[in-house]
């Protein structure tokens, strides 16, 4: 997912929505959010949690999270980013098949944060809890997936099976699931749900359950898509997306799709309930 295009789109959306639909208090909060997001993102860059383009994306994302989403938006995003950054480490498997960068770049920021930013802006415009739950659900998925990958794939290694076939694979394999990874995903989703419940003034028990459920479901969706499609190349003859005619399914793309699908599930569950 081209981070540069997303940066431009969401930056203009933030300015447009804040100026035209926000009141004086919300204008002030957005300005404070920009300052805080800049400080926090620069510190993350200094601590080697973000690349330069990741820092730019994080500033915009943080400004949206607090400026548009208020304390609730900022709380769940900080819970995801801080825990994910602490768990992540420079890592290269001895087998040589897996390599993961510690610094998050712009594409990684938006792979996990695009749907939250989109839904939280729609929630700001409509004041409907449907879109708030969809936004928080996308962060629950990102947190669950990160915890599952970092803990179940590297820290606590157990028997890992490919979700699509049941074949036993090495820990850290795309699409691999394990008991410890699933437990870690469950804990990550619970964390986001509890942070939401503690901060949001009208959070109900049903909302908390929906966030936990979508976080777990989204993590399994991520694993299945990863097992079936990740690292494959798909060609679109005669068509182009952002100037590209070939789609290489990266881990960022898998995260983006799974977070989007899970957030839609959270939206529809909230609508039904």
């Amino acid at each position: 997912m081209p981070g540069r295009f997303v940066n431009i789109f969401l930056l203009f959306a933030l300015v447009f929505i804040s100026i035209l639909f926000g009141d004086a208090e919300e204008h002030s909060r957005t300005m404070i959010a920009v300052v805080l997001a800049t400080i926090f993102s620069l510190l993350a860059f200094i601590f080697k949690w973000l690349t330069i383009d990741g820092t730019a994306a994080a500033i915009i994302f943080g400004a949206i999270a607090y400026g548009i989403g208020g304390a609730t938006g900022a709380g769940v995003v900080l819970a995801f980013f801080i825990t994910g950054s602490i768990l992540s480490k420079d890592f290269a498997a001895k087998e040589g098949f897996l390599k993961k960068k510690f610094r998050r770049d712009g594409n990684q920021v938006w792979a996990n944060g695009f749907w939250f930013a989109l839904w939280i802006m729609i929630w700001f415009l409509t004041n409907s809890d449907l879109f708030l739950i969809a936004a928080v659900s996308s962060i629950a998925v990102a947190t669950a997936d990160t915890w599952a990958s970092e803990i179940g794939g590297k820290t606590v290694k157990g028997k890992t099976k490919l979700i699509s076939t049941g074949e036993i694979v090495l820990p850290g394999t795309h699409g691999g699931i394990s008991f410890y990874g699933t437990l870690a995903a469950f804990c990550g989703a619970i964390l986001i749900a509890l942070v939401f419940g503690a901060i949001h003034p009208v959070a109900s028990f049903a909302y908390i359950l929906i966030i936990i459920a979508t976080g777990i479901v989204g993590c399994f969706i991520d694993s299945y898509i990863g097992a079936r499609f990740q690292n494959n190349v798909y060609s679109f003859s005669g068509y182009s997306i952002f100037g590209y005619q070939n789609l290489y399914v990266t881990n960022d793309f898998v995260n983006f799709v799974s977070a989007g699908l899970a957030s839609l599930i959270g939206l529809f569950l909230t609508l039904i309930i």
Side-chain angles (χ1 to χ4, degrees), residues 12-210:
F12 276 102
L14 171 63
V15 173
F16 179 81
I17 291 173
S18 179
I19 292 176
L20 293 185
F21 299 97
D23 54 28
E25 180 181 350
E26 289 161 342
H27 290 164
S28 299
R29 188 177 69 205
T30 301
M31 294 301 296
I32 294 172
V34 171
V35 174
L36 293 177
T38 301
I39 295 172
F40 187 83
S41 299
L42 288 176
L43 287 174
F45 175 76
I46 293 171
F47 286 122
K48 297 182 179 181
W49 291 356
L50 292 170
T51 63
I52 293 177
D53 63 316
T55 302
I59 291 172
I60 298 171
F61 183 41
I64 293 173
Y66 181 50
I68 301 296
T72 301
V76 296
V77 167
L78 284 174
F80 159 66
F81 183 77
I82 292 174
T83 59
S85 297
I86 291 174
L87 288 173
S88 299
K89 297 178 181 179
D90 285 323
F91 177 79
K94 295 179 181 178
E95 295 82 2
F97 76 96
L98 177 62
K99 187 175 183 180
K100 185 170 183 178
K101 293 181 179 179
F102 180 51
R103 286 182 182 261
R104 297 178 186 272
D105 60 21
N107 286 338
Q108 288 174 309
V109 171
W110 292 126
N112 292 306
F114 174 81
W115 293 106
F116 174 86
L118 179 65
W119 292 126
I120 209 71
M121 288 190 289
I122 297 175
W123 169 71
F124 182 82
L125 294 174
T126 63
N127 199 31
S128 171
D129 284 346
L130 288 173
F131 304 108
L132 177 61
I133 300 304
V136 178
S137 293
S138 70
I139 296 298
V141 174
T143 307
D145 178 60
T146 300
W147 283 38
S149 299
E150 300 301 331
I151 296 177
K154 292 184 291 186
T155 305
V156 184
K157 296 182 180 181
K159 182 182 291 186
T160 302
K161 294 184 178 181
L162 201 63
I163 191 172
S164 57
T165 64
E167 175 189 358
I168 296 179
V169 294
L170 293 171
T173 301
H174 300 306
I177 59 173
S178 66
F179 171 78
Y180 295 111
T182 301
L183 181 61
F186 185 66
C187 292
I190 288 178
L191 172 69
I192 298 301
L194 291 179
V195 170
F196 170 78
I199 298 176
H200 193 62
V202 293
S204 67
F205 185 66
Y207 287 171
I208 292 175
L209 289 180
I210 289 173

